[in-house]
Amino acid sequence: MVTITIESSNKKISRAPGLPYNVVFPDPNTATIEDVKKLLSVKFPKLPVSRQRLTLAPTSSDGKGRAVKDSETLTSAGLDNGGTLHLKDLGAQASWTTVFLTEYAGPIIIHILVFNYFPWDVTFQRSKMQIFAYWMFLLHFIKRELETLFVHRFSHATMPALYIVRNSAHYWLLAGLMSSVSIYGPWNSHLRISGSGSRRDEDWFLWTCAGAWAACELMNLSTHLTLRSLRPVGSGKRGIPRSWIFDSLNVSCANYTTEIAGWIVVCIMTGDLWTMIYVLVAAITMTKWGLAKHARYRKEFDDYPKSRKAICPYIL
């Protein structure tokens, strides 16, 4: 029998007015941190499990304790003889699925509205490049919506609800509004492009770009299916991603590599500045994520391929 004392991590938690609070478990070898959170959510109904973060008592000079994972037992967390956990209210949470569906829906809606209904000052005929770009944008984000619903398995159930605003701004503004208005305007009309002698009016160029883009999208889907196979339902488990794409590119985050490659093709085809800005921001963000994931893979798996790079073959 062990007793765990729950205290506020810093300031008073309005949704948990009865702290400190003791919870008791008969066996620390089988009781988990998630069990502690579930008991707290019963005691404090306004503080669901998704809003809770528990940390061990501070042991370093910076005054911060280690955050404990839901899957850890009390024994593995060093609480086999009881002890104290510090509770923090993470604030309003939203599921990853909700966030992804919201941020990807923006470009779909905006591109449809701008392409079909934007009140341009002049009437003009769409160029073939504009039509190709329209379907590339739509199909990419429809694919992302379907992957969110049927492919992705998230290591964490929720994220702060305010992240919806931050994440959606990136997609809705850059990939949505700015890119669509910039691409579909009369300056890219059939008359302007065909009269300029640009290769963006030539079928061979457009279909070559479309083929390269489709190949990147299919490879990206394949990497997502590979990652899905490594994570059982309801777990945060990771494995070493292996498939012909991961092994051929020899990178840890081939999903990011193929995503960026597909968008580079769109940039080449359209020559659009705002699309390039969107892709640059996305590439910087994915590179940051990729380096962090690569470091975790190498730390977690002793047999991780030593020659693998994070996101860019042979370079980074």
Side-chain angles (χ1 to χ4, degrees), residues 67-89:
V68 285
K69 299 179 180 178
D70 288 357
S71 58
E72 289 187 67
T73 65
L74 296 182
T75 298
S76 64
L79 299 170
D80 47 315
N81 294 316
T84 300
L85 286 171
H86 294 262
L87 173 66
K88 180 178 180 179
D89 180 2

Side-chain angles (χ1 to χ4, degrees), residues 93-114:
Q93 300 288 296
S95 72
W96 279 80
T97 298
T98 298
V99 174
F100 276 28
L101 291 177
T102 300
E103 62 190 27
Y104 298 147
I108 295 173
I109 295 169
I110 292 170
H111 276 261
I112 290 174
L113 292 176
V114 172

Side-chain angles (χ1 to χ4, degrees), residues 30-245:
T30 58
T32 65
I33 297 300
E34 185 177 18
D35 293 330
V36 176
K37 290 184 176 182
K38 287 179 178 178
L39 286 180
L40 290 176
S41 68
V42 172
K43 173 65 176 178
F44 309 112
K46 293 183 178 181
L47 195 68
V49 169
S50 62
R51 291 183 66 124
Q52 300 176 33
R53 185 177 73 178
L54 292 173
T55 57
L56 297 172
T59 57
S60 58
S61 58
D62 61 7
K64 295 181 180 180
R66 179 178 71 85
V68 285
K69 299 179 180 178
D70 288 357
S71 58
E72 289 187 67
T73 65
L74 296 182
T75 298
S76 64
L79 299 170
D80 47 315
N81 294 316
T84 300
L85 286 171
H86 294 262
L87 173 66
K88 180 178 180 179
D89 180 2
L90 295 175
Q93 300 288 296
S95 72
W96 279 80
T97 298
T98 298
V99 174
F100 276 28
L101 291 177
T102 300
E103 62 190 27
Y104 298 147
I108 295 173
I109 295 169
I110 292 170
H111 276 261
I112 290 174
L113 292 176
V114 172
F115 187 85
N116 294 288
Y117 303 109
F118 195 87
W120 304 106
D121 292 336
V122 296
T123 301
F124 60 94
Q125 181 184 350
R126 301 286 182 196
S127 67
K128 286 181 283 188
M129 183 276 286
Q130 289 176 317
I131 295 171
F132 270 76
Y134 175 68
W135 285 107
M136 285 180 175
F137 270 90
L138 286 191
L139 291 175
H140 171 79
F141 285 106
I142 289 172
K143 166 182 166 290
R144 297 307 301 268
E145 295 276 37
L146 293 174
E147 287 175 335
T148 299
L149 291 173
F150 302 112
V151 177
H152 290 322
R153 289 175 178 167
F154 302 106
S155 58
H156 297 90
T158 63
M159 67 167 69
L162 287 177
Y163 282 17
I164 293 180
V165 177
R166 182 196 67 183
N167 291 17
S168 294
H170 170 67
Y171 289 99
W172 287 53
L173 293 179
L174 291 181
L177 183 61
M178 305 308 296
S179 292
S180 62
V181 171
S182 181
I183 292 173
Y184 306 140
W187 42 85
N188 283 323
S189 67
H190 172 70
L191 181 62
R192 292 288 294 273
I193 289 185
S194 62
S196 68
S198 170
R199 62 186 178 183
R200 293 187 174 91
D201 188 54
E202 298 179 12
D203 286 343
W204 72 267
F205 175 74
L206 295 172
W207 282 109
T208 298
C209 289
W213 170 85
C216 291
E217 291 289 313
L218 290 173
M219 287 191 291
N220 182 254
L221 171 61
S222 178
T223 63
H224 288 157
L225 292 172
T226 298
L227 294 173
R228 170 189 169 88
S229 69
L230 296 175
R231 177 167 291 160
V233 177
S235 80
K237 182 181 177 182
R238 277 195 301 270
I240 299 175
R242 297 186 184 278
S243 72
W244 71 271
I245 299 176

